[in-house]
Amino acid sequence: MTEAVLAERRVALAGDFPAAAFADLFEVCFGAPFNSVWWTWKYRAPRNPSRVLIEGGRLMAHYGGMPRPLLMFGETVPGVQVGDVMVHPSARGLGRRGAFFAVASDFLSHELGYGKPHLLAYGFPNLRAMRVAEMLRLYEQVGRIDELRWPARASATPDMQRLLPGAAEEVLARAWGAMRADLGSWVAGVRDYGWWAGRYAQHPLFDYATWHIASAEGEAVIVVRAHTDALEWMDFIGPLALLPAARDALRALAAAAQLPEAIAWCSAGLAQRVVDAETRLVDIQVAVPTGIWSPGPPPQELRDRWLLLGGDADYR
């Protein structure tokens, strides 16, 4: 690229840049070390729809998109998870003249809605970021994410066994088939074997444990991640009737790991099925948005219809 091209202010496809090009922007925005292997894993799709803003020869903003098939009211549709929304501190603000609006509006104009590569998008913005996007008429809020906490408890649970990669494909096919049959009125990410393998078994940084639950009501799969002070429920695959049993299994696993609590990030549709008398609900100030910049499914049809867990985010 010539110096003149680099100096101009323009939006470009993020896939045109190597992973290392994002290190400085990531570290100044998130205050955490940048890992190029993790970045490459996240943006491994054959086509990376993410956008960047270049100004003065520097990457000043990034709006990430990770394609993922979704199930919307029983029909598989092309979707995308939005993440890694970054704006350099020197380029923040300025409304529709600002860096965030430049990358977000370009992404939403070309990538999202009827007749575009992705029909629906989802993400996990904090409420402050959500309010900025609403003010710019880019998003509308259609739900929220809460953190649910339970004390660890050793108790009678359904039969459980650790699910290893060699035995996972057949089990996940059955569990996802049962879950899919229950999702006619919901919107959720596809949770088949390919999703599980890419998201959990092949994660370059974090270790996850996958457990197979069997009961008289059927079978399900849960994915968990151990933190220093809690066991986190990352994912659920199976008939929705088994959600309470999965919660109880999670608490038993936390107790077996000698961790004091079990936790989960849940959208409202999931939370209402797993809350019990011992649940402590924490408002983590995270919204569920939908894009309104380009014509697409109306927000009123999506409000409180998403089924999301922590594993639907890319960074947990």
Side-chain angles (χ1 to χ4, degrees):
M1 297 182 185
T2 68
E3 290 186 6
V5 170
L6 284 172
E8 67 181 359
R9 186 178 195 265
R10 65 189 182 91
V11 175
L13 286 170
D16 293 342
F17 297 84
F22 299 92
D24 289 346
L25 182 62
F26 183 94
E27 290 175 0
V28 76
C29 288
F30 294 130
F34 179 80
N35 186 297
S36 60
V37 173
W38 176 68
W39 188 268
T40 301
W41 167 81
K42 281 208 291 185
Y43 295 101
R44 66 192 181 276
R47 177 180 176 271
N48 179 358
S50 310
R51 298 301 200 269
V52 293
L53 179 70
I54 305 164
E55 190 168 18
R58 301 169 63 196
L59 293 182
M60 300 300 290
H62 175 265
Y63 191 92
M66 293 153 273
R68 181 185 182 185
L70 302 174
L71 197 68
M72 177 182 174
F73 309 141
E75 178 184 356
T76 302
V77 300
V80 62
Q81 178 192 341
V82 172
D84 295 314
V85 177
M86 302 181 287
V87 178
H88 194 277
S90 66
R92 291 175 183 165
L94 302 178
R96 291 197 171 189
R97 293 182 291 113
F100 169 69
F101 182 80
V103 288
S105 62
D106 192 89
F107 180 96
L108 297 172
S109 294
H110 294 94
E111 300 291 341
L112 189 65
Y114 297 135
K116 307 291 176 60
H118 312 99
L119 179 65
L120 280 179
Y122 73 95
F124 295 79
N126 61 47
L127 290 186
R128 180 179 175 277
M130 184 72 214
R131 298 297 171 251
V132 171
E134 287 181 319
M135 179 186 68
L136 296 171
R137 299 298 300 149
L138 297 170
Y139 304 165
E140 185 170 322
Q141 184 172 343
V142 294
R144 59 184 286 163
I145 303 291
D146 288 310
E147 184 176 272
L148 277 54
R149 289 182 169 264
W150 301 271
R153 186 179 67 188
S155 60
T157 62
D159 290 338
M160 290 191 296
Q161 63 178 2
R162 185 81 177 262
L163 185 63
L164 300 176
E169 188 165 5
E170 185 175 338
V171 171
L172 284 161
R174 295 194 302 268
W176 170 239
M179 186 175 188
R180 180 173 183 140
D182 282 349
L183 293 177
S185 61
W186 298 98
V187 183
V190 166
R191 285 164 156 77
D192 58 12
Y193 172 79
W195 159 253
W196 173 87
R199 175 64 180 85
Y200 300 111
Q202 298 165 14
H203 199 288
L205 298 182
F206 303 149
D207 291 325
Y208 301 99
T210 301
W211 291 83
H212 178 217
I213 299 171
S215 76
E217 295 178 287
E219 60 183 333
V221 169
I222 62 171
V223 182
V224 300
R225 178 186 171 196
H227 301 278
T228 57
D229 59 348
L231 187 69
E232 182 171 7
W233 187 1
M234 301 300 303
D235 223 327
F236 171 86
I237 307 164
L240 300 187
L242 284 183
L243 279 165
R247 173 204 61 213
D248 294 343
L250 173 77
R251 296 177 65 183
L253 290 169
Q258 298 186 320
L259 293 168
E261 285 190 304
I263 66 174
W265 277 24
C266 285
S267 58
L270 275 174
Q272 66 186 2
R273 293 170 178 261
V274 296
V275 166
D276 63 10
E278 295 182 274
T279 306
R280 181 162 62 92
L281 190 147
V282 181
D283 181 2
I284 55 172
Q285 301 282 294
V286 172
V288 178
T290 197
I292 58 171
W293 184 251
S294 299
Q300 59 267 27
E301 292 184 5
L302 305 172
R303 189 156 288 115
D304 291 329
R305 293 288 92 194
W306 279 96
L307 290 184
L308 297 168
L309 274 160
D312 291 302
D314 62 282
Y315 50 86
R316 299 190 68 78

